[in-house]
Amino acid sequence: MEYLIGIQGPDYVLVAADNVAASSIIQMKHDYDKMFKLSEKILLLCVGEAGDTVQFAEYIQKNVQLYKMRNGYELSPSAAANFTRKNLADYLRSRTPYHVNLLLAGHDESDGPGLFYMDYMASLAKAPFAAHGYGAFLTLSILDRYYRPDLSRDEAVELLRKCVEELNNKYRMVLVVLIRTQPGHQVGMFQTKVQKHAGLQRFGSDPVHQVE
Amino acid sequence: MALQDLCNFGDIFQESVGTARNVMAVGQRKSCSYATGVALSNSTSLFHFYIPEACYLDESPIQFGQISTMQSSSGIPSQETLPIPSSLPESLPFTSSQVVPLPFPMAHGTTTLAFMFQGGVLAAADTRSSCSGLVACPASQKILPIHSHLVGTTSGTSADCALWKRILSRELRLYQLRYGRRLSTRGAAKLLSHMLHPFKGTELCVAATLCGWDGGEPDDGCRAHKGSEMDHGESRETTKAHLEKTAGAPGEKVSVSKTQSSSFTKQQCSRRKISFSGPSLFYVCSDGTRLEGSLFSVGSGSPYAYSILDQGVRWGLTVEEATSIAREAVYRATHRDAYSGNFVDVYHVTSKGWTRRTREDLKEEYYREKEKRRLERERRGTTFPG
């Protein structure tokens, strides 16, 4: 199953997603990217039904870029999140609702970092931390326990490592977690690229190592 | 004649896509009547097409495609005037509105596979067409060439696949005529995926892998250098996999011309601003999945094929090795899967285009292997008596 997680800090947002594209029992791809860059400051993570995810995410992506072209300035993360939610809500009671669960992470000059949780019922919540998928059942309590609003970046990565370890421990599916960020970004997006391969073999508590 | 009607059909559903998507508050009737208006003009043609409309599916999925008195009395004018095609038999079993989830994927009775390696893209498939548990055709064609450098494997409903492949060929040819260059495999995959999107949730079932070779257009003067296209492949290959080409590859003539024209073609590259050139493999499914990869297998026999392929496929395979792995994978899958069998087709796509291997009977393969096993047993029997 697919998994998304986001953790907001004082001046950054850390997001991670698994890398597997599966079709029923077969894993068709092990390096599938579920993050869509809406702008330099906003990242959209999208999981859900097969075709809906890419269609919807690309639709939002192109519309956010169009807004910038038309008006000369970018949408704020909050505005982008509300726009996304509005689209989900509009299609919800149509013949073709989009079955997608989203996390939108962004950094605004005025408002600071923001993490927005949206699900296929078109709900929207700005949250300090959030997760999607079956893995969320296992990791939300870890986040509840250890999260503080003033986490440093290293501490947030450590918290993420705890979550991934728990998933490897208790969750039956193979999970490869890729935290994508754009390196060289000033304030806002997190800066490390971490990759951990997990599987049915127990590697023990394999520490998450930083790969630049 | 048929293609002309397809052209009409293409225009219809493009607009009905636009209007169907705009169904917010008011649009429903608008989309129906629009599709109706144009569909009527098509009713006189021999190649009659039924397009699932938004309102039909909304009304009652059970009666999809059937003549229904309920609908005519419901009072919506657009549906009454819509011609129901007589070609669609009413005795076809339609799914009930409750969908019973399958325990595991049983659809797509076939085994098709495709993978990339240093020598291009190899596609292989069986040839059995099954229909409700019996073999409808033991020698069907599941790998359809789309154009000179693009081949597609088909899985799902044979009719749907054949039609959509033809539509895709038409669209790619139009693109080529309009813009003077071939659309990349990625573009073709995206085009097919977007064409299939309006039919998501209907009975349409197409799961295809597009295997192609991009780049090296003759219009840009690369015709003079025959090896130039392969050079793109070489440069891309080295950056991609950092593996050396095996010495025994039959495509070795490339390496001779490589040194000569590599600089020239690099200039060509920068002038034409192509970002990508070389083998390319995409999986497109009618449920909306579109994945890029280097190894795919689709169909009911795919798990069996995957296990063979995952063991043997590497970038550095020779063409013979790759062909033998592909054949073996299809053979093993046909051995275990009831819905795959009969023959195996192997297509190889290189920078020069696609080539097709002679169709092989897997029955012979089975007997050959049986004979080999028997001989081995005998040999072992003599060395280890008792």
Side-chain angles (χ1 to χ4, degrees):
Chain A
M1 267 318 278
E2 303 176 302
Y3 178 67
L4 299 178
I5 182 173
I7 302 173
Q8 182 203 323
D11 63 349
Y12 62 86
V13 186
L14 168 66
V15 288
D18 73 303
N19 270 359
V20 175
S23 174
S24 171
I25 58 167
I26 302 281
Q27 292 174 2
M28 301 209 74
K29 223 166 125 71
H30 289 282
D31 55 355
Y32 184 64
D33 193 358
K34 299 186 185 172
M35 308 199 183
F36 295 85
K37 187 170 135 177
L38 299 191
S39 75
E40 287 305 318
K41 307 217 181 92
I42 311 178
L43 206 61
L44 180 71
L45 287 82
C46 193
V47 293
E49 200 177 317
D52 287 353
T53 49
V54 177
Q55 288 280 115
F56 186 72
E58 284 190 346
Y59 174 69
I60 301 294
Q61 190 181 40
K62 303 312 172 202
N63 269 289
V64 168
Q65 287 165 0
L66 182 63
Y67 185 93
K68 181 178 177 189
M69 281 181 215
R70 278 189 179 146
N71 303 295
Y73 63 91
E74 288 182 346
L75 269 174
S76 69
S78 163
N82 276 288
F83 170 71
T84 309
R85 190 214 73 85
K86 177 87 168 53
N87 269 290
L88 273 173
D90 286 336
Y91 282 102
L92 184 62
R93 290 186 195 277
S94 74
R95 188 180 65 84
T96 56
Y98 285 110
H99 199 290
V100 291
N101 295 315
L102 310 159
L103 282 184
L104 191 140
H107 191 276
D108 197 16
E109 300 302 326
S110 47
D111 297 331
L115 175 68
F116 297 88
Y117 170 100
M118 278 170 277
D119 75 356
Y120 69 101
M121 287 265 130
S123 64
L124 170 68
K126 185 172 187 308
F129 56 86
H132 275 298
Y134 285 129
F137 289 104
L138 298 163
T139 50
L140 277 173
S141 45
I142 299 178
L143 292 167
D144 280 329
R145 170 126 204 257
Y146 292 108
Y147 177 81
R148 287 184 338 268
D150 58 349
L151 281 174
S152 76
R153 294 187 186 196
D154 294 329
E155 284 170 342
V157 175
E158 177 58 30
L159 180 53
L160 178 66
R161 194 196 62 79
K162 282 201 182 72
C163 293
V164 171
E165 203 181 317
E166 179 59 26
L167 287 173
N168 296 337
N169 205 358
K170 283 279 179 309
Y171 195 30
R172 286 198 67 235
M173 309 298 286
V174 176
L175 189 73
V176 177
V177 176
L178 171 73
I179 308 171
R180 145 105 65 87
T181 61
Q182 293 98 315
H185 217 83
Q186 327 92 309
V187 201
M189 295 311 205
F190 207 74
Q191 300 306 309
T192 56
K193 193 167 164 182
V194 185
Q195 199 158 324
K196 180 173 155 78
H197 189 83
L200 296 172
Q201 306 137 307
R202 297 293 156 91
F203 286 119
S205 51
D206 204 1
V208 154
H209 50 273
Q210 310 237 336
V211 174
E212 256 324 64
Chain B
M1 174 83 179
L3 213 49
Q4 278 176 2
D5 301 312
L6 284 178
C7 288
N8 283 335
F9 163 67
D11 297 331
I12 294 169
F13 92 81
Q14 290 292 352
E15 321 253 15
S16 71
V17 161
T19 50
R21 267 278 166 249
N22 293 336
V23 168
M24 294 297 188
V26 194
Q28 240 187 8
R29 193 169 300 194
K30 182 171 116 188
S31 70
C32 288
S33 56
Y34 190 93
T36 308
V38 195
L40 271 176
S41 67
N42 245 8
S43 59
T44 50
S45 66
L46 287 173
F47 197 85
H48 191 80
F49 234 99
Y50 187 63
I51 310 152
E53 261 93 17
C55 39
Y56 254 101
L57 293 173
D58 219 17
E59 229 57 43
S60 128
I62 295 179
Q63 266 116 14
F64 172 64
Q66 290 175 331
I67 300 169
S68 161
T69 49
M70 226 173 70
Q71 281 166 342
S72 53
S73 62
S74 65
I76 300 178
S78 55
Q79 293 181 354
E80 283 175 341
T81 54
L82 238 157
I84 312 293
S86 53
S87 55
L88 203 63
E90 278 156 6
S91 54
L92 264 181
F94 289 102
T95 56
S96 64
S97 42
Q98 285 141 304
V99 176
V100 178
L102 293 167
F104 49 87
M106 279 280 295
H108 313 177
T110 183
T111 306
T112 66
L113 59 94
F115 60 88
M116 276 203 288
F117 67 112
Q118 56 80 20
V121 191
L122 207 76
D126 73 312
T127 59
R128 175 177 291 181
S129 268
S130 51
C131 179
S132 315
L134 51 85
V135 178
C137 175
S140 58
Q141 179 118 359
K142 296 196 188 175
I143 308 186
L144 304 173
I146 298 176
H147 62 65
S148 60
H149 288 72
L150 181 63
V151 137
T153 68
T154 64
S155 174
T157 318
S158 318
D160 286 331
C161 289
L163 173 69
W164 284 101
K165 284 284 158 64
R166 284 198 74 188
I167 294 180
L168 183 66
S169 316
R170 182 200 60 173
E171 291 300 328
L172 293 184
R173 179 68 181 142
L174 284 172
Y175 184 94
Q176 187 179 7
L177 290 169
R178 282 177 188 140
Y179 302 104
R181 63 181 181 91
R182 276 203 307 267
L183 186 58
S184 63
T185 316
R186 175 186 298 271
K190 197 149 192 178
L191 184 62
L192 183 61
S193 176
H194 284 191
M195 287 199 291
L196 292 174
H197 184 67
F199 297 95
K200 187 171 160 133
T202 64
E203 298 277 333
L204 188 136
C205 186
V206 172
T209 61
L210 298 177
C211 327
W213 188 287
D214 301 328
E217 293 304 316
D219 299 345
D220 298 290
C222 272
R223 215 177 320 168
H225 295 257
K226 262 197 207 149
S228 61
E229 294 161 358
M230 291 212 201
D231 293 347
H232 296 309
E234 298 296 356
S235 54
R236 196 193 152 268
E237 163 219 327
T238 47
T239 51
K240 181 184 157 107
H242 306 287
L243 277 175
E244 278 160 8
K245 232 164 97 130
T246 55
E252 267 307 304
K253 16 181 161 22
V254 167
S255 54
V256 176
S257 49
K258 180 179 176 178
T259 46
Q260 292 171 355
S261 47
S262 53
S263 55
F264 173 66
T265 49
K266 283 202 179 72
Q267 288 169 14
Q268 290 271 318
C269 277
S270 55
R271 204 180 64 198
R272 269 181 287 138
K273 290 196 208 87
I274 42 165
S275 54
F276 184 88
S277 170
S280 196
L281 180 56
F282 280 85
Y283 167 67
V284 179
C285 188
S286 52
D287 67 4
T289 316
R290 178 172 39 94
L291 299 171
E292 177 177 17
S294 52
L295 169 67
F296 286 116
S297 177
V298 186
S300 56
S302 66
Y304 308 111
Y306 263 127
S307 37
I308 302 291
L309 292 169
D310 284 336
Q311 290 191 343
V313 168
R314 298 176 328 270
W315 182 261
L317 290 172
T318 65
V319 177
E320 283 90 25
E321 286 173 350
T323 316
S324 96
I325 283 195
R327 266 182 61 244
E328 171 103 22
V330 174
Y331 166 63
R332 298 283 169 208
T334 57
H335 184 52
R336 284 288 176 182
D337 182 31
Y339 296 97
S340 311
N342 298 107
F343 302 92
V344 60
D345 278 333
V346 178
Y347 278 70
H348 181 210
V349 186
T350 59
S351 63
K352 293 205 159 68
W354 56 262
T355 48
R356 182 190 169 174
R357 212 162 168 267
T358 333
R359 180 170 273 198
E360 259 184 86
D361 193 346
L362 289 172
K363 188 174 64 193
E364 308 296 324
E365 179 75 22
Y366 174 71
Y367 288 123
R368 268 201 296 270
E369 197 186 356
K370 215 166 154 187
E371 187 64 21
K372 223 178 356 171
R373 293 264 169 89
R374 191 182 62 82
L375 290 171
E376 260 182 46
R377 260 203 317 274
E378 273 182 10
R379 205 166 28 88
R380 255 185 284 124
T382 53
T383 45
F384 298 102

